[in-house]
Amino acid sequence: MINIEVCVSPELIHLYDTKGKNVVIVDIFRATSTMMAALANGVKSITPIMDLEACRDFASKGYTIAGERNGLTAEGFELGNSPLAYFNHAYAGKKIAMTTTNGTLAIEKTKDEANQVVLGAFVNLKATAQYLINQSQDVLILCAGWKGKFNLEDSLYAGALVSSLHPHFQTDCDTAIALKSLYESNSHRLQIFLGQASHAKRLQNHNIEADIDFCLSVDLYDIIGFLEGDELVGIPSKDN
């Protein structure tokens, strides 16, 4: 049986072995949700960058640059971290360079040793689960958290993915067991339960409730997002 584990923060990733595993990066509010919206709306690729200045330099290479810090669009960037910006194929065919507070850091910390880095979001939960079931690698779900701390929305998604993978996987990871139970106890009231999350409240203070609603929508897209070289790309799940 294939094994599944959950790490609730990039600050704890040193406690886990990522080598040869399919690592699912989760940043529900909002990086991985935004990335999936972009890829589903025809963006050619997304290059995740840790540093604001390095990301800004990509503008001269023909990229559209997207930068977010603390929930706000970074100065000098065309885009921030809103999934709604990509709706209606607004950036179809474009190559995006993106840096965010938490999500791009999580990708950077795992990409060298992982068998594959996969994007995790509620908007394509079923497609991602089916993709992982069809693979033969162990799975590690890495929650981006908030500045190194545990957060509710990423952890609840981790529980949702563990639940969706059952019974195809086994686990002796207490975190995975606990978060599966947490999700299954609250799946019927996802919006209400995650409305309590500290980051949801931070985003509400920026008047972007529509972003939150999108990020908590389940199975809007039937595509997989994953890292290919240094770029995040999307493929239809029917190709798995």
Side-chain angles (χ1 to χ4, degrees), residues 76-138:
F77 283 75
E78 180 174 343
L79 293 166
N81 195 19
S82 174
L84 278 60
Y86 298 94
F87 281 13
N88 300 314
H89 290 73
Y91 290 87
K94 301 287 187 181
K95 298 183 80 170
I96 309 292
M98 181 183 292
T99 183
T100 68
T101 305
N102 306 293
T104 50
L105 172 65
I107 294 170
E108 187 67 27
K109 285 200 170 193
T110 56
K111 67 179 186 180
D112 290 336
E113 289 196 340
N115 173 67
Q116 192 167 69
V117 171
V118 179
L119 297 176
F122 282 112
V123 294
N124 68 328
L125 171 63
K126 183 178 179 180
T128 301
Q130 189 59 54
Y131 178 79
L132 294 170
I133 289 168
N134 291 342
Q135 307 303 302
S136 59
Q137 281 79 24
D138 289 346

Side-chain angles (χ1 to χ4, degrees), residues 12-24:
L12 299 174
I13 195 63
H14 64 281
L15 301 174
Y16 296 81
D17 180 12
T18 60
K19 192 170 184 179
K21 295 178 181 177
N22 284 337
V23 177
V24 182

